[in-house]
Amino acid sequence: MSGIEYLGAGELARRYRDRSLSPVEVTRALLDRIGGLDPVLGAFVHVAAVRALDDARHSEAAIAAGRPRGPLEGVPVALKDLLDASDMPTAAGSRVIGRLPARDAAVVARLRAAGAVLLGKVGLHELAFGVTGVNPHFPPCRNPWDRERVPGGSSSGSAVALAAGLAPLAIGTDTGGSIRIPSSACGVVGLKPTFGAVGRSGLVPLAWSLDHVGPMARSVADAALLFDAIAGHDRDDPWSAAHAHEPAGRTLGAGVRGLRLGVLDASAAGAAAGVDDEVGAAVEAALGVLIGLGARTVPVAVPPLEPIYTATFALIASEAGGYHRRRLADRPSDFGEDVRRNLAIGLCLPAADVVAARRAQGVATGALLRSFDDVDAVVLPTLPRTALRRDDPVSREPREAWNRLVVPFNLAGLPALSLPAGFDRAGLPIGLQVAGRPFDEATVLRVAAAYEGATDWHTRRPPLQA
Amino acid sequence: MTPEPDEPDVAAILARLAEQGVRLDRADAEALRPRLASLLRRLARLAAELPEDAPPQPGGGERFPR
């Protein structure tokens, strides 16, 4: 271990400024670590070593000249292989997408403009359509805390790369929890921004109306830094927010004194049912920490989760089925069994049922927005239980499903973040979810930063030998 | 009382997919049938519980205009 592997982006920027580290030194150390650990962990599907070192030299020159291009100058980033980068293949975790894009995705263009060094592409659940990260087309991607456990998905490689010290920052995408689920399962920080806050052109879609691109990191401050670098209008994404992005990281240190934090009220018993005792206890303890820091908790009603889950799955399956229909017709055996069947379910849904799901989305969004009338943020578990064993089936029933506590914020498009909040008896990370009002990532990050500052869960590292 | 949708059978699933140019094995259709049936039942309940005049979520443009 060189000591570089777990330095955060903010710390790297400081060390570059005082010349105690250089982008080339850091990039080389991380590439070495990827070479040593990734054959076992399976986070990366494409390592762009030559280009990364070239970019690092460019960053080094820019810093030496006193002209850094942006806040990520020389900071390595891992990119989920659902996004195009002009010098890397895009496979979307599949055998049916294989393109060498001519253009960068909007988020990649923003990363390069901010000075980031792209280390390569990290893997995902096939076509981002699943929550485990188990992908039949690629070598296993393993949870660094227990290699017999799944990393969670779909942004599995992003979370594993962060937890294993292979990259200080990563980009994920989240359609039904795909940033927050692996962040929780691997003990890192992941923010699903407000729908429209981060541009999506150059993204292989899972479901256009629910897809979000967002930052993943090992600390809330790094997630805020990355979010502020990638947020903003994307003229090639018709659902991109038109207004200028207001930096969300500026109020990170403002604390939570006087903030009202929503907690699930008694009517949300269905939401609480099935939450593992250790996860429930960790979230209660986290609320105690936030109360100790001056926050006030307010019970809030949330709409029933089962219709939300049902509507979300119907929309994802129908949009994904529509997008992949021709490939499914031409090459059905090139899809994994599970994804092939999910896409087929989408193609079998009657139009009136899809419209009902879209109407339910409107109703649920209104209800969730009303739950923020009297609170500044809502705090709840990310996952009902910690990382599953590789051979555990993921329940498909809404009541038990691994993603039921995260999908409401996809359906409504509200910002939501997961951060480490403890470990269970098996040593597996537990995630705390903080959700906020539309375009109020600043408050979400502020609550998370206050909690993180009072705890040390985010400093724990998995047992790995490079 | 929400009327239950008809249970899709394997032949109907294969036919519905074939209409769209997709030809899957019978094993696929048999495996997905119970999940499709469960989803259709849940969607029927969801539709029945919606306020009659609830519109779909707006699609394009900003979902949360400022």
Side-chain angles (χ1 to χ4, degrees), chain A residues 259-350:
Chain A
L259 287 189
R260 301 158 303 167
L261 302 180
V263 295
L264 303 181
D265 75 359
S267 71
V275 172
D276 177 88
D277 287 347
E278 290 183 84
V279 173
V283 171
E284 279 301 310
L287 285 167
V289 169
L290 289 162
I291 291 167
L293 294 169
R296 188 158 56 87
T297 56
V298 179
V300 292
V302 294
L305 293 182
E306 175 160 334
I308 286 177
Y309 179 93
T310 297
T312 306
F313 183 79
L315 294 172
I316 293 174
S318 57
E319 290 188 36
Y323 180 69
H324 291 292
R325 181 168 61 179
R326 197 165 55 197
R327 283 179 278 271
L328 193 59
D330 293 345
R331 310 166 55 183
S333 59
D334 282 342
F335 290 83
E337 181 181 277
D338 195 50
V339 168
R340 183 171 67 242
R341 291 170 182 172
N342 278 334
L343 295 172
I345 285 174
L347 291 176
C348 287
L349 294 179

Side-chain angles (χ1 to χ4, degrees), chain A residues 405-463:
Chain A
L405 298 174
V406 288
V407 292
F409 307 110
N410 291 87
L411 197 64
L414 305 182
L417 172 149
S418 182
L419 80 162
F423 290 82
D424 69 6
R425 279 189 291 273
L428 298 168
I430 293 170
L432 179 72
Q433 189 174 199
V434 184
R437 298 187 182 112
F439 296 106
D440 192 13
E441 282 83 0
T443 300
V444 170
L445 289 160
R446 176 180 161 190
V447 171
Y451 174 76
E452 184 184 79
T455 57
D456 68 355
W457 306 117
H458 64 292
T459 66
R460 311 271 180 105
R461 305 295 176 225

Side-chain angles (χ1 to χ4, degrees), chain A residues 194-195 209 238-239 241-243 246 306-307 310 313 325 328-329 332 340-342 344-345 347-350 353 356 358-363 365 396 398 411-413 438-439, chain B residues 13 16-17 20-25 27-29 31-32 35-36 38-40 42-47 49-64 66:
Chain A
T194 307
F195 186 79
S209 69
W239 289 353
H243 62 261
E246 293 169 17
E306 175 160 334
T310 297
F313 183 79
R325 181 168 61 179
L328 193 59
R340 183 171 67 242
R341 291 170 182 172
N342 278 334
I345 285 174
L347 291 176
C348 287
L349 294 179
D353 281 352
R358 190 68 71 202
R359 293 171 64 212
Q361 182 184 21
V363 170
T365 301
R396 299 189 184 282
L411 197 64
F439 296 106
Chain B
I13 290 169
R16 170 87 171 135
L17 292 171
Q20 300 173 76
V22 175
R23 293 175 203 291
L24 295 192
D25 292 343
D28 276 330
L32 68 84
R35 293 182 48 217
L36 176 61
S38 166
L39 181 59
L40 291 171
R42 286 186 275 124
L43 283 166
R45 279 200 299 274
L46 176 152
E49 290 166 6
L50 285 170
E52 193 174 12
D53 56 353
Q57 175 77 30
E62 285 196 67
R63 184 175 292 175
F64 309 108
R66 289 194 148 181

